[in-house]
Amino acid sequence: MTSSRQFVPINIAVLTVSDTRTLANDKSGDCLAHRIKDSGHHLVARSMVFDEKDEIIKLLREWISNENIDVILSTGGTGLTGRDVTVEAHRDLYDKEIDAFGTIFSIVSMKKIGT
């Protein structure tokens, strides 16, 4: 069955959070950027910040208020050390959490890299 819906490209921003990576060696950010472009969407912003809660929140607030950005994708900074505060920074900004997505990502990760 083919869909009769017309493709509507969206404007996407990509944020990488890392204390060790740079834009020059940001494989995850590169992958997201290429997939966004290859799928016909628009990469309208890409940035990298250190795993500092205030820095993450500041950039996310800027992007959230930007009417030219429809979606923000974030990668990195999700480890379990005290330095990893990306999840907490995001939680400070959104109104609703969809727990099922976290479960799905955990399952995919376990299948790919193990426990």
Side-chain angles (χ1 to χ4, degrees), residues 7-10 35-42:
F7 175 78
V8 177
I10 56 175
R35 288 183 180 203
I36 288 165
K37 293 173 187 176
D38 290 348
S39 65
H41 297 291
H42 306 289

Coordinates of all heavy atoms in Angstrom, one line a residue, residues 7-10 35-42:
F7 N 5.1 14.3 1.2 CA 6.3 14.5 2.1 C 6.5 16.0 2.5 O 6.4 16.8 1.6 CB 7.6 14.0 1.4 CG 8.8 14.2 2.2 CD1 9.1 13.4 3.3 CD2 9.7 15.3 1.9 CE1 10.3 13.6 4.1 CE2 10.8 15.5 2.6 CZ 11.1 14.7 3.7
V8 N 6.6 16.2 3.7 CA 6.8 17.6 4.2 C 8.2 17.6 5.0 O 8.3 17.1 6.1 CB 5.7 18.1 5.1 CG1 6.0 19.5 5.6 CG2 4.4 18.0 4.4
P9 N 9.2 18.2 4.4 CA 10.5 18.3 5.1 C 10.4 19.2 6.3 O 9.6 20.2 6.3 CB 11.4 18.9 4.1 CG 10.6 19.6 3.1 CD 9.2 18.9 3.1
I10 N 11.1 18.8 7.4 CA 11.1 19.6 8.6 C 12.5 20.2 8.8 O 13.5 19.6 8.3 CB 10.6 18.9 9.8 CG1 11.4 17.6 10.0 CG2 9.1 18.5 9.6 CD1 11.0 16.8 11.2
R35 N 21.9 11.6 7.8 CA 20.6 11.0 7.7 C 19.5 12.0 7.5 O 18.5 11.8 6.8 CB 20.3 10.1 8.9 CG 21.2 8.8 8.8 CD 20.9 7.9 9.9 NE 21.7 6.7 9.8 CZ 21.4 5.6 10.3 NH1 20.3 5.4 11.0 NH2 22.3 4.5 10.2
I36 N 19.6 13.1 8.2 CA 18.6 14.2 8.0 C 18.6 14.7 6.6 O 17.5 14.8 6.0 CB 19.0 15.4 9.0 CG1 18.6 15.0 10.4 CG2 18.2 16.7 8.6 CD1 19.3 15.9 11.5
K37 N 19.8 15.0 6.1 CA 19.9 15.5 4.7 C 19.4 14.5 3.7 O 18.7 14.8 2.7 CB 21.3 16.0 4.4 CG 21.7 17.2 5.2 CD 23.2 17.6 5.0 CE 23.6 18.7 5.9 NZ 25.0 18.9 5.8
D38 N 19.9 13.2 3.9 CA 19.6 12.1 2.9 C 18.1 11.8 2.9 O 17.6 11.4 1.9 CB 20.3 10.9 3.3 CG 21.8 11.0 3.0 OD1 22.3 11.9 2.3 OD2 22.6 10.1 3.4
S39 N 17.4 12.1 4.0 CA 15.9 11.8 4.0 C 15.1 13.0 3.5 O 13.9 12.9 3.5 CB 15.5 11.4 5.4 OG 15.7 12.5 6.3
G40 N 15.8 14.1 3.1 CA 15.0 15.2 2.5 C 14.7 16.3 3.5 O 14.0 17.3 3.1
H41 N 15.1 16.2 4.8 CA 14.8 17.2 5.7 C 15.9 18.2 5.7 O 16.9 18.1 5.0 CB 14.6 16.6 7.1 CG 13.5 15.6 7.2 ND1 12.2 16.1 7.1 CD2 13.4 14.3 7.3 CE1 11.4 15.0 7.2 NE2 12.1 13.9 7.3
H42 N 15.8 19.3 6.5 CA 16.7 20.4 6.5 C 17.5 20.4 7.9 O 16.9 20.5 8.9 CB 16.1 21.7 6.3 CG 15.2 21.8 5.1 ND1 15.7 21.8 3.8 CD2 13.8 21.8 5.0 CE1 14.7 21.8 2.9 NE2 13.6 21.8 3.6

